[in-house]
Amino acid sequence: MCVPSPPKRIAPAALVLGLALAVTGCAADAAEDDTLTLGYFPNLTHAPALVGVENGIFAEALGDTAFDTRTFNGGPDAINALFSGEIDAAYLGPSPAVNGWFQSEGRALHIVAGAATRGTGLVVRDDITAVEDLVGTTLATPQLGGTQDVALRWFVREQGWEVDTAGGGDLSIVPQANPETVDAFAIGEIDGAWVPEPYLGRLLAEDDAHLLVDEADLWPGGEFVTTHLVVSAALLRDHPERVEDLLRGHVEAVDLVEADPDTALRSVSAHLETLTGGAPDPDLTAAGLDNITFTVDPAAHSLLVGADRAEAIGLLEPVDLTGIYALDPLNALLAEDGRERVAGLEG
């Protein structure tokens, strides 16, 4: 059995974040193990993962396949773990998924389902009353090259401002872990942050805070993907039955979150307390969940837009996304229940 190397970082100048290795060795060996390891974040945009793990939905769906988990702060670290074989599947935002696809030349992963749309935005101090007030401020994102990082950098570019990956420019963008962002905002080290729920809600709970930009306002119809379910190409190739079982659990978890908000709230709160060591505010958690749409539809149109934006701001080279979606297993499960199929880039 392959022992994976620790996740590595490469310089932003390389334009693509993640672990630079061929999709062989550890990544291939991971699919031969009898355990499926799932990666996810302690974010409300990953509520299907939180509920599915907390309620034993995935473990039950996988049957004889052992189930394990890993948690991450941002997508680039999760991609590194997928590349090195530490995990077999992950809940990811669009930017890390595209970066991983590009860096592996389409050999490392596939998006097999959507999980969530919406639920992100820019929270700032109350004395920042207009977008133009952002010049000279310091803003945080969860991780350089992550989905919210790309969203903020694109927004800055749309205003005609310049920033760099070292924190310089017309304003300073400082990637940091979400819990650190909450603390940094409280003591005045940063002026705001572009973050997902529940951290968006936690920042808004501060006395001196307000939502300057709701990202939903920047997309047609207000819908844009925030979370996908991604699997390694090796897992899909060598163990399609495990992918099908994982998807059964995923669909069940998404349905539970959407259909039973009270149960979802209890499950999410309990799991976040286990992961973070602190009980989340139930009102903030409920409001955060209500700010997100949970769906197995991958909202493929927004993936293309996001990739174009990442390329424009210098965090991604041109990439052909043909084949990134592998939705046939999901659509087969949906057809069993008489539900409408979902579409990727090819329709």
Side-chain angles (χ1 to χ4, degrees), residues 41 72-81 91-93 95-97 142-143 145-147:
F41 310 166
F72 302 89
N73 174 71
D77 284 343
I79 284 292
N80 287 346
Y91 284 82
L92 288 175
S95 293
Q143 189 169 12
T147 300

Side-chain angles (χ1 to χ4, degrees), residues 186-346:
I187 63 177
E189 287 186 350
I190 60 173
D191 301 297
W194 199 297
V195 287
E197 295 284 7
Y199 302 99
L200 185 149
R202 289 179 61 183
L203 291 178
L204 287 175
E206 295 288 331
D207 291 336
D208 182 24
H210 72 111
L211 185 65
L212 184 66
V213 180
D214 183 342
E215 190 172 351
D217 294 337
L218 307 180
W219 291 85
E223 294 298 324
F224 58 100
V225 63
T226 46
T227 309
H228 292 123
L229 178 58
V230 173
V231 301
S232 73
L235 183 70
L236 184 61
R237 179 190 67 237
D238 299 335
H239 296 285
E241 76 286 351
R242 294 183 189 176
V243 175
E244 180 180 336
D245 290 341
L246 178 66
L247 282 167
R248 287 188 188 278
H250 173 63
V251 172
E252 181 179 345
V254 170
D255 287 348
L256 189 155
V257 174
E258 279 291 278
D260 191 348
D262 292 338
T263 297
L265 175 61
R266 289 193 297 270
S267 300
V268 165
S269 297
H271 201 63
L272 287 176
E273 184 173 5
T274 298
L275 295 177
T276 65
D281 183 299
D283 292 334
L284 291 179
T285 304
L289 290 171
D290 193 51
N291 193 31
I292 305 165
T293 300
F294 297 99
T295 174
V296 297
D297 191 318
H301 67 283
S302 64
L303 186 80
L304 281 175
V305 174
D308 288 343
R309 292 176 177 178
E311 179 185 339
I313 60 178
L315 288 178
L316 182 69
E317 294 179 357
V319 55
D320 182 0
L321 296 178
T322 303
I324 192 171
Y325 290 102
L327 301 175
D328 286 348
L330 173 63
N331 280 323
L333 293 178
L334 296 177
E336 287 180 6
D337 293 335
R339 296 164 65 167
E340 189 173 337
R341 70 187 302 275
V342 298
L345 299 178
E346 292 80 31

Side-chain angles (χ1 to χ4, degrees), residues 111-191:
I111 297 169
V112 294
T117 62
R118 307 174 70 243
T120 61
L122 176 61
V123 178
V124 297
R125 301 194 180 284
D126 278 343
D127 58 350
I128 301 173
T129 59
V131 170
E132 52 265 29
D133 296 336
L134 293 174
V135 173
T137 62
T138 298
L139 305 177
T141 64
Q143 189 169 12
L144 178 62
T147 300
Q148 283 77 57
D149 188 68
V150 169
L152 175 55
R153 292 177 189 277
W154 173 259
F155 182 78
V156 167
R157 184 180 186 273
E158 287 286 274
Q159 312 313 310
W161 304 329
E162 293 185 1
V163 293
D164 59 38
T165 56
D170 293 309
L171 56 91
S172 180
I173 297 179
V174 182
Q176 58 187 200
N178 288 320
E180 294 175 9
T181 291
V182 175
D183 294 337
F185 187 83
I187 63 177
E189 287 186 350
I190 60 173
D191 301 297

Side-chain angles (χ1 to χ4, degrees), residues 1-4 24-37 65 81-89 232 234-239 242:
M1 179 176 177
C2 182
V3 178
T24 58
C26 289
D29 289 351
E32 298 307 316
D33 196 353
D34 60 358
T35 299
L36 189 149
T37 302
T65 301
L82 192 73
F83 279 9
S84 67
E86 292 178 70
I87 61 175
D88 305 294
S232 73
L235 183 70
L236 184 61
R237 179 190 67 237
D238 299 335
H239 296 285
R242 294 183 189 176

